[in-house]
Amino acid sequence: MTSSAKYHLHLSSEIDAKFAVNLPELWEYRELVFFLAWREISSRYRQAALGAAWAIIQPLATMVVFSIIFGRLAKIPSDGVPYPLFSYAALLPWQYFQTSTQTAANSLVTNTTLITKVYFPRLVIPLAAIMPGLLDLTISFLIFVFLMLHFKVQPSPRYVWLPLFTGLGLCAALGVGLWSSALCVKYRDIKHVIPFVMQLLLFASPVTYSSHLIPSNWRLIYALNPMVEVIDGFRWSCLGIGNPFGLESLVSILTTALLLVSGTYIFRRMERSFADII
Amino acid sequence: MLHPIIQVSNLSKRYSLGNRSANYTRFSEMIIDSVLSPLRHLSRLSTTTKEPDFWALHQLTFDINEGEVVAIIGRNGAGKSTLLKILSRITYPSHGSIELWGRVGSILEVGVGFHGELSGRENIYLNGAVLGMKRREITRKFDEIVQFAGVEQFLDTPIKRYSSGMYVRLAFAVAAFLEPEILIVDEVLAVGDMEFQKRCLGKMGDVAKEGRTVLFVSHNMAAARQLCQRAIVLSHGQLVADTSVDEAITLYLSSCKSKEESIRQWGAPPQSAKIWPRSLQVLNESEESRTNFSADQSMTLELALEILETTTSQITITIVNSQHVCIFSTEPTAQPEIYERNSKYRMRVKLPGSLLAPDLYRIALRIHNGLRNIYFREDYALSFVIEDTIGSVSKLLGLTQGIISIDLPWEIYRDDSLSLNSPNFIQDSYCEADDTN
């Protein structure tokens, strides 16, 4: 019992004014993040006839619909690449962002028993919620490579930038997820707000069209949507179109950072009452 | 080397009753207000404003030393679970503070984080991680856990196909192999069959013997007595006593004086029981349910039963005093009786006055088949007090009165012609000599 002499914890009613994240402790619980994410992944497609194929069907079907409506009928310009590739490259991060924010928003409420019965850093839950999407993203990306071969488009070495833009998308999803999951504990309205907001945000993001279509004097405001940079980054890395490095990028990155920091603050601030009010 | 490992000082926990979101009932109100005054709003999110309050815990102060095994006893709503939740860092105190000098592992519910679609093997890892175990640690203990739970054959079966018994055994097994310096356990022994409960108790005893500190909440007084030396009694959020486990149990039982405690009701049929005891109460001479009786009063025990399945059963009621001496047992019929399915019974037995000595008694209820199979067992079904209303001389002199106080018919004659050589006299003096030994 030598370790007990060193370990000390003080619990009191006083609120830690800094709301700093206890990173060493969070690191201690990294395996729990992994296990919770893995529980989600391995249970999601159990007893489903098509199983993991659902991870492919969703972006593929959306891409087909977008190609018909926006590519064929509306004839939206796709910067010289086949429209299916153009929209699919944007759907990769978009679908990740959409599903992850929704899972994250509901994550605390769906894990009520964990929160009321066991201690662990609560940040683990929204963190675990945005992880399973990464696997779907990887699978969708493999399909994307096949699509590239099908449309005879050369793969580019810019693929190495993808993890960076994926990371940015992850931060954006986490930022929104922290805000929404914490608020959802108190206000279940969030559950209905998020899908609605996502629907609007889809059209405020360059998924079905190119960000070039936005008038240049509106670009900076447009870039307040963090997904603008992520999607432009994906298109640039995968297809070599557009330019994800400009003043707009800085705005997107700053918004993401602000979301993440304020989300963590709000989350830490409300965390103490989760078990009482959930 | 008695170091306090837990120091609780002035601990209080307040819950606000009713609507917890202090000023906002609708999200739209909150949005409007937060747009108008974002800073004011942010400061409100975590602070509770004035509302009707409920003190789940009120100014608790106690220390627990390293290696102690302490029971926390109290009625439902006394604040036991809140205390454990605060010690487990699930919820935070409203006032006061706690110093913990060791890592805490708590089992407030078994099977937290279990997922029905996943296999037994997967759930062991998942549950272990939820309880704060490392993957390596779980791998090391894996075989022991599986063996303890007895689910070797079903490791790769999704646990939604498990029987409820298997589920509970697996869940407890994972928790049982947790190795924190402070172990906090809430009511988990109330699950599983008798045999498994015994095994759990044994495991908890082992943990205690290893020198770890254990805090244990249970309604099972026998388990508390077996495991713990010390007990803390809570009542309405306040610390009533912090003493030896025997004294605490006596105190706890005697505190059951309020009206709702004079009748014991079982809300749900006990697991796998054929007979469901609905209620047990003790009535006084005016047919009123009471917990306190005067020694010369007669009492009536009344037991209501519902028969769920046709069964041949015997019902045994045992009266036990505060020294755990069994005074007597009584059964409604000489032999086990056949009870028909869907019938209901009311059974009464009258205990004459002037039988039990003034003391605190408990009633143990058992339903069994007359042989070895016990269908239902409740050692602390109900308690009652026989008050010393007569004030007998022997008590004033500090002598024990014995375990019964029967009003025996004495005969007294004045006989001045009594001869010293009478055989009666010799016998009496012999008895007296025996007493003084």
Side-chain angles (χ1 to χ4, degrees), chain A residues 1 3-5 7-13 15 25 28-29 31-32 34-36 38-39 42-43 46-47 113-120 122 183 186-187 189-190 193 265-266 269-270 272 275-277, chain B residues 13 15 20-21 24 27 30 42-43 45-46 66 85-86 88-103 108-109 112-113 115 117-118 122 125-126 129-130 133-135 160-161 181 212:
Chain A
M1 292 287 140
S3 60
S4 66
Y7 184 89
H8 174 233
L9 188 73
H10 171 83
L11 300 177
S12 77
S13 54
I15 298 167
E25 192 192 31
E28 280 273 291
Y29 277 88
E31 282 186 352
L32 183 57
F34 166 78
F35 276 117
L36 288 177
W38 169 78
R39 172 180 80 169
S42 59
S43 64
R46 295 256 169 121
Q47 217 169 357
T113 44
L114 283 188
I115 287 169
T116 54
K117 298 293 178 189
V118 198
Y119 171 79
F120 53 86
R122 302 311 186 202
L183 286 176
K186 207 165 182 180
Y187 308 99
D189 314 52
I190 297 293
V193 170
Y265 176 83
I266 274 292
R269 177 106 206 210
M270 294 184 73
R272 290 165 70 97
D276 294 339
I277 63 178
Chain B
K13 176 72 181 176
Y15 285 107
R20 275 101 160 208
S21 52
Y24 306 109
F27 190 62
M30 187 199 114
L42 282 183
S43 66
L45 277 176
S46 65
E66 207 177 318
K85 276 190 176 179
I86 292 175
S88 317
R89 300 168 67 191
I90 289 164
T91 182
Y92 289 82
S94 306
H95 291 295
S97 66
I98 296 174
E99 308 291 329
L100 292 169
W101 300 93
R103 258 167 259 270
L108 301 193
E109 194 173 285
V112 178
H115 196 294
E117 296 289 345
L118 303 180
E122 291 167 324
Y125 278 95
L126 182 65
V130 167
M133 283 156 100
K134 293 266 169 292
R135 198 172 358 174
K160 65 177 176 182
R161 312 236 181 277
E181 286 124 15
R212 264 178 271 152

Side-chain angles (χ1 to χ4, degrees), chain B residues 267-329:
Chain B
Q271 272 188 344
S272 69
K274 293 170 179 171
I275 296 184
W276 176 10
R278 298 302 298 260
S279 67
L280 176 67
Q281 56 184 323
V282 190
L283 308 168
N284 65 11
E285 284 169 344
S286 350
E287 293 285 307
E288 293 160 331
S289 188
R290 285 284 180 269
T291 54
N292 292 44
F293 299 87
S294 62
D296 54 346
Q297 244 185 0
S298 75
M299 317 181 273
T300 305
L301 294 186
E302 186 175 296
L303 177 66
L305 298 169
E306 186 170 334
I307 315 300
L308 303 173
E309 276 172 59
T310 304
T311 171
T312 307
S313 289
Q314 179 63 284
I315 294 145
T316 304
I317 280 182
T318 307
I319 308 289
V320 184
N321 75 4
S322 65
Q323 307 299 309
H324 314 293
V325 178
C326 167
I327 314 296
F328 63 86
S329 287

